[in-house]
């Protein structure tokens, strides 16, 4: 775990530089906070991809603190922002608890646009459970991209999971159907169903996902137990738009935020939590098997600041 915190610190370097260090420079040597300084602070929060809602909330809270006289000391302002961000992120910290005695197989429906890291996210989560001795089945319902199926199959072999696929261009819902039935007959603990992030046909992506969800819940009542949306941190505000689209279409229950390493847009996690109120389940800071971890708000804020 210590190794991951160090990786997280390193991964958040660019976000730290574009956000925390800018606040430090802004407040350096200042005796009081005037309206001009507050405007500059607001600009820093916007640029750090915290989003309109979060930035507005933080600036309003700082203004109230200044009016009450609580935040006269500029150093206290930074501490206050840190506390508020922790408070926001704590609300999104809900690790996934799976009771295999009650729910078997537990079904993940994994969604997100192409290129966000869905396949590797599935592989890494599967690896975590596989290490605990769980029997895992992965279904390749992104039948439109041969590369996606091949990559997923490599991950399945790597983590010792069973694998279900069909021919290219076949109906994704049929793959989902087969995956659920195979999982039940083989006594699997955990199922991952990968989905397309964009369709090469006239079929609407969200319609396709709704259909897969319907089939899965019909064949295994109560499933999918987790609709995990994978978002790429490097896309900043675009990630919030994606979250809104997927959530409206199929009701996202958790988010995995990948590629936090090497982006200055790590602040987007705060905006997503504030605007979407969907739990952040996992964060990723690298390509390695152990570079995806359950989200911990305190660790994240410590690494950021």
């Amino acid at each position: 775990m210590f190794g991951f915190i160090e990786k997280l610190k390193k991964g958040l370097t660019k976000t730290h530089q574009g956000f925390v260090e800018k606040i430090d420079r802004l407040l350096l040597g200042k005796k009081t906070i005037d309206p001009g300084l507050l405007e500059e602070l607001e600009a820093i929060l916007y640029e750090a991809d915290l989003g309109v809602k979060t930035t507005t909330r933080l600036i309003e809270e700082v203004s109230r603190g200044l009016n009450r006289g609580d935040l006269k000391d500029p150093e206290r302002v930074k501490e206050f922002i840190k506390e508020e961000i922790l408070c926001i992120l704590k609300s999104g910290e809900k690790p996934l608890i799976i009771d295999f005695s009650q729910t078997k197989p537990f079904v993940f429906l994994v969604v997100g646009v192409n290129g966000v890291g869905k396949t590797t996210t599935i592989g890494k989560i599967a690896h975590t459970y596989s290490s605990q001795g769980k029997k895992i089945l992965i279904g390749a319902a992104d039948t439109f991209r041969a590369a996606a199926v091949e990559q997923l199959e490599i991950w399945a072999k790597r983590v010792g999971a069973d694998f279900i696929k069909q021919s290219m261009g076949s109906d994704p819902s049929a793959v989902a159907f087969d995956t659920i039935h195979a999982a039940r007959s083989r006594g699997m603990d955990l199922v991952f169903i990968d989905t397309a992030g964009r369709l090469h046909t006239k079929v609407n992506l969200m319609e396709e996902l709704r259909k897969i969800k319907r089939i899965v819940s019909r064949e295994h009542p109560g499933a999918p137990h987790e609709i995990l949306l994978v978002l790429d941190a490097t896309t900043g505000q675009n990630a919030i738009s994606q979250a809104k689209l997927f959530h409206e279409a199929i009701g996202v229950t958790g988010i995995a935020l990948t590629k936090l390493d090497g982006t200055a847009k790590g602040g987007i996690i705060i905006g997503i939590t504030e605007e979407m109120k969907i739990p952040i389940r996992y964060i990723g800071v690298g390509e390695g098997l152990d570079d995806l971890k359950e989200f911990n708000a305190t660790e994240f804020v410590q690494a950021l600041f």
Side-chain angles (χ1 to χ4, degrees), residues 15 18-20 23 41-59 81-82 84-85 88-89 236-237 240 264-275 300 304-305:
T15 304
F19 175 41
V20 182
I23 293 174
L41 180 62
E42 188 171 14
I44 290 170
L45 297 179
Y46 274 128
E47 284 164 15
D49 270 292
L50 269 66
V52 177
K53 197 172 175 184
T54 314
T55 299
T56 306
R57 169 182 162 169
L58 289 174
I59 292 298
I81 288 170
K82 182 179 173 180
E84 285 295 307
I85 285 173
I88 291 168
L89 290 178
Q237 289 302 306
I240 293 182
K265 299 175 185 283
I268 194 60
I269 193 171
I270 304 154
I272 289 169
T273 308
E274 171 82 353
E275 293 211 21
F300 185 89
L304 177 61
F305 279 82

Side-chain angles (χ1 to χ4, degrees), residues 65-77:
L66 289 170
N67 292 336
R68 285 195 307 268
D70 300 347
L71 300 178
K72 284 243 165 66
D73 176 12
E75 189 49 45
R76 178 75 192 98
V77 170

Side-chain angles (χ1 to χ4, degrees), residues 63-118:
S63 299
R64 276 198 279 273
L66 289 170
N67 292 336
R68 285 195 307 268
D70 300 347
L71 300 178
K72 284 243 165 66
D73 176 12
E75 189 49 45
R76 178 75 192 98
V77 170
K78 180 186 164 185
E79 200 51 43
F80 177 78
I81 288 170
K82 182 179 173 180
E83 287 163 11
E84 285 295 307
I85 285 173
L86 180 60
C87 183
I88 291 168
L89 290 178
K90 273 279 181 197
S91 71
E93 181 190 275
K94 290 188 182 70
L96 195 60
I97 310 291
I98 305 175
D99 182 353
F100 289 103
S101 66
Q102 297 294 318
T103 312
K104 190 174 170 177
F106 185 96
V107 180
F108 278 88
L109 185 61
V110 185
V111 302
V113 302
N114 289 347
V116 293
K118 281 198 301 291

Side-chain angles (χ1 to χ4, degrees), residues 14 43 78 114 131 138 161 217-219 238 250 254 262-263 273 288:
K14 285 186 184 172
K78 180 186 164 185
N114 289 347
S131 312
I138 298 173
S217 59
R218 187 188 75 201
E219 300 308 313
N238 205 4
I250 53 168
T263 176
T273 308

